[in-house]
Amino acid sequence: MTKAGSWRFLKDVRVWMLVGLIAGIAPAAWYGVYQIFKNEKTWLTSSYMIQLMGGWLATVMGVVIGLPIAAWLADRASAAERRKQRQQEERLAADMRARTLTVVGRELASSLPGLQEMASGTLTRFHYNVGRWNALTSSGDLKWIRTLSVIDDLAEAYEALEVVNVLASSWLTSLGTHRIPGEGPHLARQLAVEAANDATAAIEKALQTVDAELPQPVSAMERQSKV
């Protein structure tokens, strides 16, 4: 807590109104007592009055001094509680961000082997997982990834995967039926190969961005072993 923050309670108008009220009553009360007993020569020496005024002054001084101190202590306790809550929220956000990035990173990394084979002209897989990304998008959990550039790279990678899924399915269909109008299986293969190259580049870029955001970057081997 900063020094200015520690004394923030002094800006509370209610504190100063109460202190001012007490400080204003004190001289008025003293003057009133004086007017009542001014004709009594011994009123100031009276043990009763001395005790009465001494107790009254002690009470006034205690309130005037104690009230700001009590307000200061309450303000410090409130600030400490707010700071503790803010730290807990920051830890939760950091943990959820790491979990979310790890999930999508593993899903993207699982597509790389099949994409590399497709880019070489071999169709061994005609569908690539995008389910986790869709689930996170639908649930709103992408809010934990607060860096827009990271979200952009991930969205681009998954968009490229969606294109690959469509073209891989078309390629597979053309191999079985040979009924695609025009170029036939050759065109389907060419489009799928190009899409696989684009998706590979987009995924590798997204994984680099994810690794930069994670406290402990995950290697490609670790990702593939945990998918």
Side-chain angles (χ1 to χ4, degrees), residues 27-61:
W30 183 272
Y31 180 76
V33 172
Y34 171 75
Q35 291 296 323
I36 294 173
F37 293 98
K38 66 179 179 180
N39 295 324
E40 298 290 335
K41 296 181 179 180
T42 60
W43 78 278
L44 284 175
T45 60
S46 171
S47 61
Y48 173 76
M49 287 304 301
I50 291 175
Q51 292 177 3
L52 177 62
M53 296 305 298
W56 182 80
L57 287 174
T59 301
V60 170
M61 294 300 295

Side-chain angles (χ1 to χ4, degrees), residues 11 20 30 32 48 86 111 133 137-138 152 155-157 161 163 179 206 210 219:
K11 297 180 181 180
W30 183 272
Y48 173 76
R86 184 170 60 252
S111 300
W133 171 260
T137 303
S138 301
D152 287 342
E156 183 178 350
L161 268 185
V163 173
R179 292 178 181 176
V210 168
S219 67

Side-chain angles (χ1 to χ4, degrees), residues 17 21 24-25 61 66 72-73 164 173 190 206 217 224:
M17 288 179 62
L21 179 63
I25 291 175
M61 294 300 295
W72 176 73
L73 291 175
V164 169
T173 301
Q190 181 180 356
Q224 294 177 18

